[in-house]
Amino acid sequence: MVVSCVRFLWLGWVHEQYVAPRVHFPYLGFSWVSPLPEPAMTAVFVVMTLAAVGVMFGAWYRVSSIVLFVAFTYVELIDKTYYLNHYYFVSIMAFMLALVPAHGAWSVDAWRRPQHAIQHIPQWILAAFKLQISIVYIYAGIAKLTPHWLIDAMPLRIWLPANDSVPLIGWLFALPWIPWAMSWMGMLYDCTVPFFLLWTKTRPWAYLAVVVFHIVTGILFQIGVFPVVMILSTLVFFSAEAHERVLNRTLGWLGRTSDMGRAWTSRWSRVLAVVVFVHVLIQIVVPFRFLLYPGNLYWTEEGYRFSWRVMLVEKAGTATFTVHDPITSRPGVIVNRDWLNTHQEKQMSFQPDMILQFAHILRDHYTTPDGRVPRVTADVWVTMNGAASRQLVDPTRNLAAEEQGFHRYDWVLPWE
Amino acid sequence: MLKSLSVIAVLIAFLGGGCGSSNPDGPADGFDRGAMLSSMAQAYIQPQYTEAVTRAEALLSSVESLTASPTEERVRTARSAWLACAEQWQRVSMFDFGPAEGILGDLVQIVGTFPSNSARIEALVSAGDTTMTSFERDVRGINALDYLLFSGSETDVAAALLPSAAGTRAAYMRSVARHLVGELRRVRDAWSSSYAATFSANVGTDAGSSISSIVNNLAMSFEVVKNDKVGLPGGFRAGQKRSEPERVEARYSNNSMRLARLHFEAIRAFWEGQVPTSSNGATFISIRQYLENVVGGPRLVDETRAQFAAVEAAFSACGSESVASLAASNDPRLAALHTELQKLTRFVKSELSSLLGVAITYSSGDGD
């Protein structure tokens, strides 16, 4: 987290993603979330960094963990352009960490106030973390049980040859059978690794697989901090004794090895258990919400996010919006770059909900002072897994008049 | 147990930084991107930049002789040197990356901005300001020379350059031509001294790789033709109430259609692998050949070629009329050209980068 924040600040992404753009794409129901002007936006990232340091060292842990969760989630809610499953994962982890006492030992807080130090927490807290990580893997695995992934080896057949220049192993990716092998391995890995991690006997090997898998995907794809997040967070599967052994060996000189034997108790623990239980329940149900929508999930993306569907499809689109003058009906073409940064344009061009949001942004901008509303139409061509582009949106529909919501968008043309 | 949790806290708190870009070290069994890149640099990009410098130098020397002793004959010579230079500019403007990117903007902004701002140019001429350092980009470059050399008859242009007329006009014209030569030389020299090697060695497909620069800039340059050279003068953009024929490239020499078409032709030729100025039909390893080696590529090649042909036909239909005159009369042929260009966009923008697996932004993709 610390490194991630510093990376954001260092690369100027705070400005580029949250301050510079004219418009943003908030999530449904979160349109009230908006970015702060500079320098406040940078300040948020600095505070987030400090909070992450606080969580890491268990310093003023309660405050740090809550600040980390709130700040991180706030930033993510500003613009869905930057939605990533691993950011969602970080938000969830931060939320869970804010609920539980992870600062009882090996922490600044325990050193500051030894009388509050704790050595034992209920098993269910750890189980909740393990379950959360297992959910991520298993849903990612289930999502790979599709003909296009397993039989067509798409999109790996596009992505792997593009990586044939990677040092040492690059030549592998040019081999014709490799996309199939890696598609099946990826699927089997995601579906089974949580179980092998849970079982003591296979755990070290499973963890080795975790490390290798995430390092390889990290080299292959532009996926930022994700590999590190997963490699480190899966460590929770190891027993307390194993962690203790490692910590004593490496940080033993700090002299805090004794077992003080105090167990965590809280009058809130029952409430907490309920909250965590409800959270896990939501986690299990939410990825299945796509069943409520007809049509091809990968094409319409209705119910796609927050479901651990990661790196499953190669899509790109070209979206051309036309605003028809409310008085003269004169059509005028929008140059997306005048409104959006490259990343926003790229994401918007194949995601129906963002297309509608952008159409509404344009509608509001070109509405006359006396309230006459223009028609907004969109000519959107999307390629999916290397297939010829097809039209995603009915080009005759006036998107200015369509509502945003969780209902099915009938102006989205079917893939079939 | 609690220890484990502490460790998780540490871990979550310590998400490491970036996947980093791979440092590729050579070709593999598949398509050889390194060979394609060096072929592009050697057979197309560098010779085209060199030609641009040569033509700009010829323009400069004709401007120098014109301003030294203005005659109608010398105006004619300078005008044809200008056209040769403006034509060649269309063939390099799509390589607006690497050395073409500077702190003060990229080469297209610095020497290719249009339309020129005649009022500001006249103000700078009157003030005798030949520094070429302001942030106004519409007072310099190819289109400023279009104004200075082509506004009025040959007699008018020659007369305005006489020492008795103003004096400072000649100095300003020379400065613009020198600035143009200097900028083109700077980029050409950077390519030949070191950038060509850097370019050819950066064989990855991540954002910032050479193929990513090529694909991105090809699409952006194409959009300049569609949005700025045809769309804006035609009045096809949102918020425009009418056509705006004065917002064309090469307004005063009335070459807006010729240059827009050449610009398009240059993009098509580069995509296809043809060297436009070559007499012997020289070729190089092109994006088209790369496409033919990837899944779905041959289909995209066919579709792109078909739409290239449709755009060619729409250009031909416009005949010898300039963009400005078609725009002024709201000629439907200009709208038809804009529509065909619009249809081409997806083939050179989204589908191209998607099939090649080329990253177009630095932001992270979704992880697994």
Side-chain angles (χ1 to χ4, degrees), chain A residues 26-46:
Chain A
Y27 291 92
L28 206 53
F30 290 93
S31 50
W32 47 273
V33 179
S34 57
L36 299 164
E38 279 293 37
M41 205 65 221
T42 301
V44 169
F45 275 80
V46 171

Side-chain angles (χ1 to χ4, degrees), chain A residues 25 80 305 351-358 404 409 411:
Chain A
F25 293 89
K80 65 171 77 147
R305 292 189 196 95
Q351 299 185 38
D353 58 339
M354 295 178 75
I355 288 168
L356 187 61
Q357 278 178 302
F358 188 45
Q404 294 181 36
Y409 291 150
W411 44 267

Side-chain angles (χ1 to χ4, degrees), chain B residues 63 65-72 74-75 125 148 154-171 173-174:
Chain B
V63 163
S65 77
L66 167 66
T67 51
S69 152
T71 64
E72 289 172 25
R74 290 182 179 192
V75 172
V125 166
L148 292 166
E154 287 161 7
T155 320
D156 296 340
V157 172
L161 289 168
L162 288 171
S164 57
T168 52
R169 194 175 194 82
M173 195 188 275
R174 280 194 301 269

Side-chain angles (χ1 to χ4, degrees), chain B residues 279-365:
Chain B
S279 48
N280 56 5
T283 56
F284 57 94
I285 306 173
S286 63
I287 292 172
R288 173 187 55 80
Q289 273 163 282
Y290 187 9
L291 271 177
E292 279 164 359
N293 281 276
V294 304
V295 181
R299 191 259 318 148
L300 180 58
V301 168
D302 292 344
E303 291 189 341
T304 310
R305 276 181 171 158
Q307 191 54 35
F308 274 145
V311 172
E312 299 272 9
F315 267 116
S316 297
C318 295
S320 57
E321 295 227 46
S322 70
V323 173
S325 72
L326 290 173
S329 60
N330 290 313
D331 195 306
R333 288 176 292 172
L334 195 62
L337 174 60
H338 187 252
T339 304
E340 292 307 327
L341 286 166
Q342 186 63 59
K343 285 188 206 159
L344 183 60
T345 312
R346 65 176 186 269
F347 299 122
V348 295
K349 197 175 175 187
S350 47
E351 277 202 45
L352 180 59
S353 57
S354 184
L355 286 195
L356 297 183
V358 168
I360 63 164
T361 63
Y362 282 96
S363 303
S364 300

Side-chain angles (χ1 to χ4, degrees), chain B residues 49 89 92-98 100-101 106-109 217:
Chain B
Y49 263 122
W89 167 245
V92 295
S93 68
M94 77 183 102
F95 307 111
D96 202 29
F97 56 86
E101 289 173 298
D106 49 56
L107 193 62
V108 168
Q109 295 170 320
N217 280 272

Side-chain angles (χ1 to χ4, degrees), chain A residues 15-321:
Chain A
H15 183 82
E16 189 184 305
Q17 298 187 354
Y18 296 108
V19 181
R22 272 174 86 174
V23 298
H24 288 286
F25 293 89
Y27 291 92
L28 206 53
F30 290 93
S31 50
W32 47 273
V33 179
S34 57
L36 299 164
E38 279 293 37
M41 205 65 221
T42 301
V44 169
F45 275 80
V46 171
V47 168
M48 203 195 306
T49 313
L50 293 176
V53 173
V55 170
M56 181 167 146
F57 292 110
W60 295 273
Y61 180 83
R62 274 278 160 257
V63 177
S64 297
S65 60
I66 291 168
V67 168
L68 179 64
F69 167 67
V70 171
F72 190 87
T73 308
Y74 159 69
V75 169
E76 291 320 305
L77 285 175
I78 293 172
D79 195 328
K80 65 171 77 147
T81 300
Y82 313 111
Y83 171 78
L84 292 177
N85 281 294
H86 71 256
Y87 287 161
Y88 176 45
F89 181 73
V90 169
S91 257
I92 290 175
M93 283 288 141
F95 171 70
M96 291 173 72
L97 283 171
L99 292 179
V100 302
H103 57 136
W106 292 98
S107 69
V108 173
D109 286 348
W111 170 78
R112 274 197 313 142
R113 299 183 301 174
Q115 69 277 15
H116 289 286
I118 39 178
Q119 206 68 17
H120 298 286
I121 54 165
Q123 187 74 44
W124 63 263
I125 293 185
L126 275 177
F129 279 90
K130 291 178 191 172
L131 188 57
Q132 179 63 52
I133 294 171
S134 302
I135 286 172
V136 173
Y137 276 121
I138 291 169
Y139 275 104
I142 292 173
K144 292 187 173 72
L145 298 172
T146 62
H148 80 250
W149 182 269
L150 297 174
I151 298 171
D152 297 336
M154 276 293 183
L156 289 187
R157 266 203 295 153
I158 294 178
W159 291 339
L160 291 182
N163 280 287
D164 61 9
S165 55
V166 170
L168 296 178
I169 50 173
W171 59 275
L172 273 171
F173 304 128
L175 300 178
W177 51 270
I178 275 282
W180 277 271
M182 289 190 59
S183 292
W184 281 84
M185 267 159 51
M187 182 275 288
L188 291 172
Y189 165 83
D190 279 342
C191 287
T192 59
V193 79
F195 302 106
F196 289 125
L197 280 170
L198 285 168
W199 192 20
T200 324
K201 278 190 181 160
T202 49
R203 190 173 300 138
W205 296 106
Y207 190 69
L208 186 67
V210 169
V211 172
V212 171
F213 179 84
H214 288 294
I215 286 177
V216 170
T217 52
I219 292 169
L220 283 182
F221 310 119
Q222 237 172 242
I223 50 179
V225 299
F226 184 73
V228 185
V229 180
M230 291 314 285
I231 289 174
L232 296 181
S233 50
T234 22
L235 282 172
V236 76
F237 283 91
F238 286 93
S239 67
E241 292 71 34
H243 283 291
E244 193 125 301
R245 241 179 290 127
V246 173
L247 282 172
N248 278 335
R249 211 170 294 157
T250 53
L251 299 172
W253 51 272
L254 286 173
R256 302 203 28 81
T257 57
S258 66
D259 185 340
M260 282 166 288
R262 193 171 163 271
W264 180 68
T265 49
S266 165
R267 56 208 157 99
W268 294 108
S269 73
R270 227 167 255 190
V271 180
L272 207 59
V274 173
V275 171
V276 171
F277 179 74
V278 170
H279 166 78
V280 168
L281 211 60
I282 292 172
Q283 282 296 315
I284 291 174
V285 175
V286 161
F288 281 113
R289 74 189 185 285
F290 77 94
L291 294 172
L292 301 173
Y293 298 97
N296 184 324
L297 167 70
Y298 300 97
W299 180 247
T300 66
E301 302 209 6
E302 287 169 317
Y304 193 88
R305 292 189 196 95
F306 307 112
S307 305
W308 315 115
R309 291 193 186 87
V310 275
M311 302 296 277
L312 280 181
V313 60
E314 164 62 35
K315 279 171 91 177
T318 292
T320 310
F321 290 80

Side-chain angles (χ1 to χ4, degrees), chain A residues 325-382:
Chain A
D325 188 289
I327 298 160
T328 62
S329 293
R330 190 176 207 280
V333 175
I334 296 293
V335 172
N336 297 337
R337 240 177 266 263
D338 292 349
W339 291 84
L340 311 173
N341 68 25
T342 317
H343 200 55
Q344 288 176 317
E345 183 185 3
K346 180 186 154 167
Q347 294 294 327
M348 179 278 292
S349 295
F350 59 83
Q351 299 185 38
D353 58 339
M354 295 178 75
I355 288 168
L356 187 61
Q357 278 178 302
F358 188 45
H360 287 182
I361 289 166
L362 296 171
R363 173 195 67 192
D364 297 344
H365 180 82
Y366 286 104
T367 295
T368 59
D370 59 343
R372 297 223 249 170
V373 181
R375 285 182 71 228
V376 180
T377 56
D379 187 33
V380 185
W381 292 84
V382 176

